[in-house]
Amino acid sequence: MRPVHLALALGLAACSGPPAAPPAGSPAPAARGVVLISIDALRADSLGPYGAARPTTPFLDRLAERAVVFENAFCEIPSTLPSHLSMFTGLYPTEHGVLPPSGVLSAAIPTLPELLAAGGVRTFGHSEGGYVQGGYGFARGFEEWSDTPYAADTDVERTFGRGLDSLARVGPGERFFLFLHTYTVHDPYAPPAAYAERFGARSLPPGAFPATGPDFAAYNRGERALAPGALAAYGALYDAEIRYLDDVLERFFAGLESRGLARDTTVILTSDHGEELHEHGRFVHTQVYPECLRVPLVVVHPDRTAPRRVHALTEIVDLAPTILELFGARAPSNVAGRSRVAELAARDADDGPATGRAFGQDEETDVVTRTVVRAVEGRPLQLIRRHPAGDAEGVWMGRELTFDARPPELEVRAVAYHRPRTVEVRVGATVVARLAVDTEWASHRIALPAGGRRVVTLAADGCERPREVDGSADDRCLAVKLAGVALDRVELYDLAADPRAQHDLSAERPDLVRTLAGELAQYPERALAEATHQTLSPEQVQQLKALGYL
């Protein structure tokens, strides 16, 4: 499983009951059908319409000339299962309550396909398994559903072909909804050879670990080293996969045209989350920085002939209300996700508070992460706050823990798990102390450089998993337990000026920290209906491991 699970939330209530009639004065639906395409792990800034450095999407670039491009779309959680269920329910992950690896959506929470089918819309869905298998709740409401497990990047051709075959069975005048999901650009990064060659990624440099989910996860745990030239090679492979996907998309749109559906169909292209390429020291999608949260959202509407770019903050939970309105309905009044049909119709929309909140638990430690993205004077700002939860005795850290502290000194009580540990203490990039932490509690004092708030990192020389030590179910990798000191960490980024979140403004702008912290405090914590759980089959476990999830 990925080390971090996070959920971006705006305080939605449950989606319940049939879709209501559209509001008075809303534009009449212009499309007979909607196709929702989710490209798993596709980060926005790797696409041409979002400023990609390489020519990854020539077809999508042309498509964007008559599409609506949402420039600031964010997912609710960089994790496949809960993010896709947020697409399907209009609920934030803490509200639908489904988390990996075994959560199943409660029958009390209706899904978008169920609401559409109840209104007479024909529904078809095809995924590539993993965390988008029907048993999690995705198959509900579809008259036709497939989730053949992902095996190779070229599976996307099979998946999209199935979608076109489904649409061939739609009769004249029948309304339809098609959902397509693919792992094409997800790890392992293994594009067809011709595309890898085109991006100079035919082979990895000497000493580089394979570009697979398990290997990336091992790197994130500190168990792999990054060879010279490897980072550039991984990025080239990832972009080559996108270039291949772009060609498949072009053939899919040609298929819509040949079936006479292109002029009646709205196509929505998005992703469940982005992908980390070491911008903040990790790979895959484990943290709440923009490379993981910002996703593409491109809508091709049959009535559009000119491009439109929407700067307002938009979220994945907006998809369900938008699609419902495209079919002449709207989400129930207690759903807070907002329809974006007004933007598609080139009308100005009341953007409201434009605020998102996030929550996460690092499974390697006791650290809980919350983040909020808010538009302030038209600029998207992001506040990230990490707070160790712990228990009455203290807080476990894995290999590293970073937090804020103030001079002149830091005093902490510590105990090592299973065997003694050496813990390096860094302030910024400077090592200020090395602690010998034994298996009995002891106090340690560390002098800090003079000045204001300091960012302190504790780095242990390793960690142990209780599962491997004593056979327990605890799979966290534990190094040292800490007590007697606040271990919070706050970061603030101006995503307009600093889209990759490299310059922390929290010390410079305490006023904005206070403002956004107030927004963050409103985060909804309770599930609206308890998720159930399933027993994973050996085949499911094998596939999830291959994708780097377990």
Side-chain angles (χ1 to χ4, degrees), residues 285-492:
H285 34 276
T286 68
Q287 302 181 87
V288 291
Y289 293 107
E291 57 268 22
C292 284
L293 293 187
R294 186 172 176 238
V295 296
L297 181 55
V298 179
V299 182
V300 183
H301 193 280
D303 290 347
R304 290 208 63 82
T305 58
R308 176 170 168 80
R309 301 188 78 88
V310 177
H311 302 283
L313 289 177
T314 313
E315 296 183 272
I316 290 300
V317 289
D318 294 335
L319 286 173
T322 299
I323 292 170
L324 284 167
E325 188 173 346
L326 283 170
F327 282 107
R330 65 180 178 187
S333 59
N334 58 355
V335 173
R338 304 179 61 210
S339 170
R340 297 295 173 172
V341 168
E343 282 91 338
L344 303 183
R347 292 196 293 110
D348 291 332
D350 177 13
D351 206 43
T355 303
R357 302 179 185 89
F359 152 79
Q361 175 85 35
D362 190 328
E363 295 184 355
E364 293 290 317
T365 69
D366 288 338
V367 177
V368 174
T369 301
R370 287 176 171 81
T371 187
V372 59
V373 180
R374 180 176 182 178
V376 177
E377 297 179 352
R379 303 174 71 83
L381 302 181
Q382 181 181 18
L383 180 75
I384 299 173
R385 184 168 191 173
R386 297 181 178 85
H387 173 71
D391 55 30
E393 287 188 331
V395 173
W396 282 111
M397 63 169 274
R399 289 175 178 79
E400 284 194 359
L401 179 64
T402 299
F403 55 94
D404 297 328
R406 292 191 175 277
E409 69 176 11
L410 174 67
E411 182 174 0
V412 61
R413 296 180 63 241
V415 61
Y417 175 73
H418 188 57
R419 65 180 181 85
R421 292 285 175 197
T422 298
V423 177
E424 186 177 84
V425 183
R426 299 193 296 265
V427 175
T430 303
V431 177
V432 298
R434 287 184 174 85
L435 310 180
V437 182
D438 209 336
T439 53
E440 298 291 334
W441 283 99
S443 294
H444 303 266
R445 291 177 180 270
I446 304 111
L448 300 178
R453 190 189 72 187
R454 299 294 183 177
V455 178
V456 177
T457 298
L458 305 182
D461 59 356
C463 59
E464 306 277 351
R465 298 184 185 276
R467 172 177 54 82
E468 298 170 352
V469 172
D470 57 21
S472 72
D474 191 345
D475 197 39
R476 294 177 298 169
C477 202
L478 308 179
V480 172
K481 198 166 198 177
L482 306 168
V485 63
L487 298 168
D488 286 12
R489 172 81 178 105
V490 174
E491 300 168 65
L492 176 70

Side-chain angles (χ1 to χ4, degrees), residues 153-154 190-203 237 240-241 244:
D153 283 349
T154 52
Y195 292 87
E197 179 80 23
R198 188 180 305 182
F199 283 81
R202 187 172 183 177
S203 63
L237 285 171
E241 292 188 317
Y244 165 58

